[in-house]
Amino acid sequence: MIHQYKDSVKKVDNEEKMSGMAIFTGDIKMDDAYFAIPVRSSISYGKLLKINVPNLPKDYSFISAKDIPGENVCNIIASDWPVFADKEVHYKGETIGIIVGPNKEKCLELAALVECEHKEFEPVFEMVNSYVHKEFKKGNPDKVFANAKKTFSESFSTGYQEQIYLEPQAMLMYLDGEKITIKASMQCPFYIKKAVVRVLNCSEDKVRVIQPAVGGAFGGKEHYPSLMAAQLAIAIVKIKKPLKMIFDRKEDITFTTKRHPSKTEITAYLDEKDNILGVKIHVGIDGGAYVGCSMVVLSRALIACNNTYTFENVHVIGDAYCTNKVPSAAFRGFGSPQSIFAMELFINHLADFLHVKPLDLRNKYLVKTGDITPTNGIYRDPIILKELMDKAMEMSDYKRKLAEYSKPGSNRGIGMSTFLHGCGFTGSGESTIINAQLKIKKDKNDIVTFYTSQVDFGQGNRTTLKRIVVDTLGIPEDHVIYDAPDTDITLSTGPTAASRTIIIVGGLAAKAARHLKEIWKDGEEQEIVEPYVGPDFIKWDEDTMQGDAYPGYAWGVNVVEVSFDPLTYEVNIEGCWSTYDVGHAIDERILMGQADGGLAQALGWAYLEKEEAENGMFKQKTLSDYVIPTMVDLPKMETALIDNPFPYGAFGAKGAGELTFAGGAPAFAIALEQAIKHKVHKIPATPEYIMEILENED
Amino acid sequence: MINHFVPKNLKEALTILNKHDCYIMNGGTDLMVQKHVSTGLLPKFDKDVLYINNLKELDYIKKDEEGIHIGASTRYVEIENSPLIPNIYKRVIKEIASPNIRNMATISGNIANASPAGDTLVPLVLNDAEVVLTSANGERKMKVDEFVYGVRKIHREKNELISEIVLKPQELSYFYRKVGSRKAESITKVSFLGGVKIENKVIKDFRVSFGSVAIKTVRNREIENKYIGRNINELDINEVINDYAPLVTPITDQRSNKEYRHKVAMNLLKKFVMDIKEGGINE
């Protein structure tokens, strides 16, 4: 059967997940498995002088940096995060070692008895020490800014966000003969493999990573599982027992990576007729104790910082700051939601400053096809942002409500955001760093099997990637086999990240299937290894941040309506309307899942999800204190897609997973500003913060 | 050695309590969370546990001239659905946690847990509800307001259990607001309940209680008595605010801050008084 793309199919994992049959890492039974319990630093910053380990009973061990055969480095993008803290500790909760043994309760007891002697240093919690600095320009900002007649400056900040995947971090490791075999809750099987190979200094064929069912990730399982795997690998070569490390929710919230908090300063330079000559933007992100992937998060934040507007002269500066806190890392959007939030609010506030309508000011600078990007690349795809805006305004009755809610005492507000998301790895990363290769083969019975390293953690790529191959080949669905990744079988098609799965790997799968179809011979075994070849126009210089940053951009518009209770400062979300250009949606229902989920998560970040660090330790550690929106907190969301097929993706598809997160916070904040008749510069906009705004400005 | 007792009837439960110092496990929605250790491990209790949640003898709602009697193991969901229960209690219970928690949790557990954020304490205290404490030696009654005397502090003797709650229906119009961090599954940051009875513009009864703003539910009869008998036109909003402001002494914690809690408590009190002056409480 060949599907009509608009028609949605049943997700292949629906039944196993809804019935509870799916086997997650924690469900895998292995009777002789030992438990691994981290011993964590009690101080934020200091020299580690001595580790005092209690007398350990038989079968219990303490594993630390001294047991590492290879490099004491967790292989993330930067190589600065040690697997176990050795000479120094850099954040409260950093792992110093692990207690390994057969009884979990005993392990917990022993871990609590390990004591460290320190020489403490003064920790830094504020964004003052930059460890990554980036800067680039477009046009001639220095000269133009000096001649400006007026300037307008503002500063915006965003908070931490915890992923709250349904399944906390979990890892099982065992020896299959000599081979270290890993089953874990993860996004990137080959990242885990590399991390283990590096810390053990072993050959690649000694490590195998197999993906069981994974319950959500949102970026939180992009890098952290590499750290857990490296820690367990050191233990397993020593004690040769299967090992389990499964985090409780509290441990997961307290010690795993989160979204980078940010502070963005924007100045607009204006001429005598109030035309925007250009903008200067500084984006600061809190990277925590180790760089990890913060330089790439910073890149994305900077590249996106003009959002959907074209300014002729641009000066962009960015810093990732080292603080003595849990390292920040990947989370849906990867830095860009932070800078998009700032630009959306800024353009609205600038309109007020200039006494013009925000919509008029936005339209004047809205990105058009052929415009130059902030990094001097070109927006090549047909841009249909105006259509997206018109549709969203029509769906939400935006203009009428905007006028009505501006009346005094209305306590209601409506806000619109426009936004973009660059799909795939930044710059030429797809062809220079990842080099995806996809293997597809056919057996004598004409059954086709293909392999990727993409993890389906709920977002639906097991369904969609399979469909791309089925529909390209034009053969029945049950003639195509597509299983979860196993690094011993599949070649690397790269990490499940950066909204690259459908646009890049989907495109690659379609290409491989097309090539197989071209050489198809009934009844013969055939195999193709299809390498990724990027579009020729992608030229990128990472050092100067110049060129085309992404193969394609997805676009969107969110409209959010809120009501405000002046007695309690609580805000209620009354309505959400969205329009997206994701190229061509292969499966609309899966896309609607991303649309609702992404916006819900963005709204949570905007008004509910408060994660405060106090003396280097998070204050909200449980699901009753770190609150995410429940079903009753959100209204029914209406979403429309406008078809705009992308020539380089499978069946015209672009990325969608992160796009749906990008605009929720600014649309909410703009709506809130109308409801409370005051400006907002910070999220989460909790009732406590709203009270502060109203009290201070009244 | 920790014992877990599952008695067959109330008498057996009381006999056990006479000999053992026990945690009393009812719906378990607080206790199981408090005693959680780690995924895959049993909860850790430091003394014996007595399970009363399956005692049929304690699962009832009945009404007589004294009031409405709710057995200790009666679940929130049964209370929500009972025609005997005054609406104000239903209103409060509907906003507690989620339907699945309300299928397990009990009012007696909420009282015994004695959290400053315990939601049912606010209407129980305001409406003079009582707890019945039963032991092998007999039973005694106490106002909920006196029974709970601090954070996790209650006047229960080791051999007693809360066997019943007695609601005292009042002829009051109420104004209630629970302010949590979201609409469901939310621990209260501040809550307010005002009750009033007005006849010919004269205040016949006036009661106010606040939750989550002090070590226990705030209610002050001295202040209330001051306003009983007053004409609503002579009710001075600032006077009422000034009376209650010093009693509202919230803290800053991971859920909110003291400034917000105090301000919102006063805003809600102000709204209650304004509504009285304007002739009606609608909720």
Side-chain angles (χ1 to χ4, degrees):
Chain A
M1 186 186 85
I2 297 185
H3 304 286
Q4 293 298 309
Y5 302 134
K6 286 248 171 208
D7 295 342
S8 300
V9 298
K10 193 163 120 182
K11 274 175 86 193
V12 297
D13 52 339
N14 270 6
E15 211 161 292
E16 62 185 54
K17 294 208 174 125
M18 295 309 288
S19 66
M21 272 162 52
I23 302 293
F24 294 85
T25 304
D27 299 327
I28 301 169
K29 291 195 173 59
M30 200 167 266
D31 288 340
D32 55 343
Y34 276 24
F35 295 89
I37 301 295
V39 172
R40 299 183 180 282
S41 171
S42 59
I43 65 161
S44 293
Y45 185 28
K47 209 180 170 94
L48 191 55
L49 301 173
K50 196 165 174 251
I51 307 173
N52 298 317
V53 184
N55 284 329
L56 298 175
K58 184 180 167 287
D59 298 331
Y60 289 83
S61 329
F62 176 70
I63 306 291
S64 66
K66 65 176 174 20
D67 301 303
I68 298 175
E71 262 182 294
N72 185 9
V73 164
C74 182
N75 195 74
I76 304 177
I77 302 172
S79 294
D80 66 333
W81 192 345
V83 176
F84 292 119
D86 191 2
K87 293 170 184 69
E88 286 186 350
V89 289
H90 289 258
Y91 67 95
K92 232 178 240 173
E94 184 169 4
T95 321
I96 289 157
I98 49 177
I99 291 280
V100 176
N103 179 299
K104 188 176 179 185
E105 205 170 347
K106 188 78 194 164
C107 289
L108 284 165
E109 206 177 283
L110 292 168
L113 293 173
V114 178
E115 279 178 2
C116 295
E117 292 172 26
H118 303 110
K119 183 180 179 217
E120 277 199 65
F121 304 137
E122 188 65 38
V124 175
F125 301 129
E126 302 304 318
M127 289 197 258
V128 286
N129 297 336
S130 170
Y131 52 24
V132 182
H133 178 82
K134 288 179 188 282
E135 197 162 347
F136 56 88
K137 289 174 186 174
K138 168 186 169 185
N140 193 350
D142 300 339
K143 189 177 161 208
V144 173
F145 294 174
N147 296 328
K149 293 284 175 287
K150 265 198 259 194
T151 63
F152 177 72
S153 300
E154 274 194 314
S155 162
F156 301 91
S157 60
T158 64
Y160 277 107
Q161 188 179 24
E162 159 59 39
Q163 290 87 357
I164 311 288
Y165 21 68
L166 269 173
E167 179 201 20
Q169 303 278 356
M171 182 160 290
L172 171 71
M173 185 179 283
Y174 57 92
L175 292 172
D176 180 4
E178 288 286 287
K179 189 170 278 192
I180 293 173
T181 308
I182 299 158
K183 291 180 178 169
S185 192
M186 63 175 112
Q187 284 177 246
C188 314
F190 281 91
Y191 279 10
I192 293 178
K193 180 170 171 159
K194 269 188 197 154
V196 171
V197 166
R198 186 166 179 186
V199 77
L200 293 184
N201 193 23
C202 66
S203 63
E204 297 246 341
D205 60 357
K206 289 281 188 293
V207 184
R208 177 181 187 183
V209 182
I210 303 167
Q211 182 229 307
V214 175
F218 307 111
K221 293 170 185 170
E222 191 168 335
H223 298 298
Y224 201 84
S226 298
L227 181 69
M228 294 165 73
Q231 292 168 350
L232 293 189
I234 297 160
I236 208 165
V237 295
K238 214 175 157 192
I239 61 164
K240 309 211 184 303
K241 288 275 183 187
L243 296 171
K244 258 187 179 182
M245 189 187 258
I246 294 175
F247 281 8
D248 266 1
R249 179 65 68 186
K250 192 171 174 179
E251 188 172 22
D252 197 300
I253 294 180
T254 316
F255 300 116
T256 68
T257 59
K258 307 206 179 342
R259 183 184 298 286
H260 291 72
S262 75
K263 190 176 178 202
T264 301
E265 284 147 5
I266 311 180
T267 302
Y269 295 84
L270 306 150
D271 69 10
E272 64 283 349
K273 288 179 181 156
D274 288 346
N275 294 305
I276 304 174
L277 298 169
V279 290
K280 185 174 180 181
I281 303 179
H282 180 271
V283 182
I285 59 171
D286 185 342
Y290 298 109
V291 176
C293 65
S294 287
M295 72 288 223
V296 190
V297 172
L298 182 65
S299 282
R300 203 176 255 282
L302 297 180
I303 294 164
C305 75
N306 287 8
N307 193 24
T308 49
Y309 310 103
T310 300
F311 304 113
E312 276 178 35
N313 299 285
V314 177
H315 186 178
V316 176
I317 310 154
D319 286 285
Y321 295 97
C322 179
T323 58
N324 294 105
K325 292 182 285 189
V326 171
S328 307
F331 194 149
R332 199 179 208 164
F334 215 69
S336 58
Q338 288 93 319
S339 59
I340 287 173
F341 169 78
M343 180 49 77
E344 279 300 276
L345 262 68
F346 181 80
I347 201 96
N348 253 41
H349 297 178
L350 178 60
D352 276 3
F353 174 74
L354 299 175
H355 305 291
V356 296
K357 284 185 180 158
L359 195 55
D360 293 344
L361 190 68
R362 287 166 163 212
N363 281 332
K364 189 172 165 188
Y365 296 95
L366 209 62
V367 170
K368 297 180 298 300
T369 308
D371 279 2
I372 305 298
T373 72
T375 58
N376 292 303
I378 299 170
Y379 291 108
R380 288 183 166 80
D381 330 329
I383 294 172
I384 57 165
L385 208 42
K386 277 229 159 107
E387 283 172 73
L388 293 172
M389 287 169 79
D390 288 345
K391 178 78 184 160
M393 287 192 280
E394 180 203 313
M395 286 159 67
S396 58
D397 198 7
Y398 175 82
K399 286 188 175 167
R400 182 190 63 80
K401 288 176 178 171
L402 187 70
E404 193 184 316
Y405 301 160
S406 61
K407 291 174 191 157
S410 87
N411 291 330
R412 279 221 173 208
I414 191 160
M416 177 165 61
S417 63
T418 60
F419 46 91
L420 80 177
H421 190 81
C423 300
F425 257 49
T426 301
S428 48
E430 289 293 345
S431 26
T432 58
I433 301 169
I434 298 180
N435 282 313
Q437 295 188 78
L438 187 142
K439 187 162 76 179
I440 186 164
K441 65 181 189 185
K442 179 168 86 65
D443 67 13
K444 277 181 279 191
N445 301 317
D446 295 335
I447 299 297
V448 173
T449 308
F450 74 103
Y451 305 94
T452 77
S453 54
Q454 304 329 116
V455 174
D456 191 332
F457 33 77
Q459 81 281 44
N461 63 45
R462 248 173 92 193
T463 307
T464 308
L465 288 175
K466 182 173 177 180
R467 214 170 139 179
I468 287 169
V469 170
V470 168
D471 288 354
T472 305
L473 290 170
I475 60 174
E477 202 176 309
D478 57 3
H479 288 206
V480 175
I481 296 168
Y482 174 50
D483 286 331
D486 175 340
T487 58
D488 266 15
I489 298 171
T490 180
L491 300 169
S492 175
T493 53
T496 318
S499 300
R500 62 182 292 282
T501 295
I502 297 305
I503 193 171
I504 303 288
V505 184
L508 192 57
K511 204 167 157 190
R514 264 198 316 274
H515 286 164
L516 178 63
K517 197 176 180 179
E518 281 164 19
I519 61 161
W520 185 285
K521 286 191 184 121
D522 284 343
E524 273 186 32
E525 281 182 21
Q526 291 176 293
E527 182 175 310
I528 284 176
V529 173
E530 188 73 48
Y532 176 76
V533 182
D536 306 336
F537 62 79
I538 290 286
K539 298 277 183 295
W540 176 254
D541 185 332
E542 183 63 34
D543 294 331
T544 58
M545 300 281 287
Q546 293 292 301
D548 274 297
Y550 303 105
Y553 297 85
W555 308 85
V557 177
N558 289 152
V559 176
V560 172
E561 183 177 343
V562 302
S563 63
F564 165 69
D565 183 342
L567 284 178
T568 62
Y569 314 99
E570 289 170 296
V571 178
N572 189 39
I573 297 174
E574 302 287 344
C576 296
W577 300 268
S578 307
T579 53
Y580 296 108
D581 161 13
V582 294
H584 178 84
I586 295 175
D587 188 309
E588 273 200 9
R589 186 163 51 198
I590 287 182
L591 225 127
M592 291 303 161
Q594 292 297 313
D596 287 1
L599 185 53
Q601 198 166 38
L603 292 168
W605 182 49
Y607 86 118
L608 285 184
E609 298 180 29
K610 181 176 67 176
E611 188 60 274
E612 300 161 299
E614 195 176 73
N615 296 321
M617 185 47 60
F618 296 120
K619 270 173 85 177
Q620 291 76 22
K621 298 183 173 80
T622 64
L623 286 174
S624 50
D625 292 338
Y626 183 80
V627 294
I628 63 171
T630 64
M631 274 179 74
V632 289
D633 290 289
L634 297 170
K636 186 172 186 302
M637 296 175 174
E638 287 177 40
T639 303
L641 305 174
I642 298 183
D643 215 44
N644 184 20
F646 175 67
Y648 299 94
F651 301 120
K654 296 189 271 198
E658 291 172 284
L659 176 73
T660 58
F661 186 92
F668 171 87
I670 292 164
L672 175 62
E673 290 181 338
Q674 190 182 29
I676 64 173
K677 315 277 187 271
H678 283 79
K679 296 269 182 283
V680 171
H681 292 92
K682 187 174 94 175
I683 53 168
T686 59
E688 286 80 2
Y689 170 58
I690 295 169
M691 180 187 91
E692 206 181 294
I693 296 175
L694 298 181
E695 296 275 289
N696 290 345
E697 292 185 20
D698 274 351
Chain B
M1 176 70 184
I2 302 294
N3 296 302
H4 289 260
F5 299 108
V6 185
K8 287 189 184 61
N9 51 48
L10 182 59
K11 192 174 168 220
E12 192 186 330
L14 298 175
T15 310
I16 292 162
L17 276 182
N18 239 0
K19 291 189 202 129
H20 302 269
D21 180 11
C22 291
Y23 285 111
I24 298 174
M25 178 85 77
N26 207 338
T29 57
D30 279 310
L31 203 49
M32 288 300 283
V33 175
Q34 286 158 15
K35 301 301 170 189
H36 171 77
V37 178
S38 184
T39 302
L41 296 181
L42 294 171
K44 201 166 191 170
F45 292 94
D46 50 1
K47 60 183 186 186
D48 296 347
V49 187
L50 175 74
Y51 294 77
I52 63 162
N53 52 329
N54 284 329
L55 292 183
K56 275 220 164 77
E57 288 163 89
L58 297 181
D59 186 1
Y60 58 83
I61 300 171
K62 56 194 181 196
K63 191 174 181 175
D64 62 17
E65 56 284 358
E66 192 198 358
I68 297 149
H69 303 261
I70 303 175
S73 61
T74 311
R75 310 291 200 263
Y76 279 147
V77 66
E78 298 171 61
I79 299 166
E80 253 182 286
N81 294 330
S82 164
L84 299 177
I85 300 293
N87 282 333
I88 183 60
Y89 287 99
K90 296 186 180 188
R91 165 113 170 69
V92 171
I93 289 170
K94 268 195 180 77
E95 289 187 53
I96 294 175
S98 59
N100 42 357
I101 298 282
R102 296 199 295 273
N103 274 316
M104 288 302 290
T106 61
I107 290 195
S108 63
N110 201 222
I111 296 170
N113 191 47
S115 157
D119 282 332
T120 64
L121 294 170
V122 177
L124 290 168
V125 165
L126 185 116
N127 293 310
D128 299 324
E130 293 173 341
V131 287
V132 179
L133 294 147
T134 305
S135 71
N137 308 327
E139 62 174 50
R140 65 189 176 108
K141 278 184 192 161
M142 208 172 180
K143 283 212 164 108
V144 172
D145 196 9
E146 289 155 25
F147 179 68
V148 177
Y149 68 94
V151 180
R152 311 237 175 263
K153 290 195 166 72
I154 53 174
H155 289 294
R156 178 180 81 88
E157 299 301 326
K158 282 177 185 170
N159 65 346
E160 288 178 322
L161 58 76
I162 301 175
S163 57
E164 186 181 286
I165 321 302
V166 187
L167 307 184
K168 310 279 177 139
Q170 308 288 332
E171 281 179 44
L172 296 168
S173 302
Y174 297 101
F175 170 58
Y176 175 70
R177 274 300 292 270
K178 163 176 172 156
V179 182
S181 41
R182 64 182 165 198
K183 286 189 189 167
E185 295 272 30
S186 177
I187 298 173
T188 301
K189 297 199 280 198
V190 48
S191 64
F192 174 87
L193 179 61
V196 68
K197 187 182 173 189
I198 301 163
E199 278 172 16
N200 300 323
K201 297 204 167 182
V202 176
I203 296 171
K204 294 289 180 188
D205 200 348
F206 178 92
R207 304 181 190 191
V208 166
S209 60
F210 299 92
S212 280
V213 295
I215 57 162
K216 57 172 279 191
T217 305
V218 171
R219 184 180 170 194
N220 186 294
R221 285 170 185 75
E222 214 176 302
I223 299 173
E224 289 173 3
N225 289 335
K226 195 175 142 189
Y227 295 104
I228 293 171
R230 236 188 242 189
N231 187 295
I232 57 169
N233 296 327
E234 285 155 24
L235 198 58
D236 177 0
I237 291 173
N238 289 328
E239 186 188 351
V240 181
I241 296 284
N242 289 338
D243 281 343
Y244 280 103
L247 304 181
V248 173
T249 54
I251 57 163
T252 294
D253 62 10
Q254 71 278 20
R255 288 182 209 117
S256 187
N257 61 50
K258 57 184 182 205
E259 293 79 13
Y260 174 81
R261 286 175 159 129
H262 195 276
K263 176 83 183 167
V264 170
M266 292 302 115
N267 283 354
L268 293 170
L269 175 64
K270 197 189 269 182
K271 160 87 175 145
F272 173 62
V273 177
M274 273 168 64
D275 283 356
I276 294 173
K277 287 181 72 69
E278 281 162 18
I281 302 294
N282 297 323
E283 287 190 52

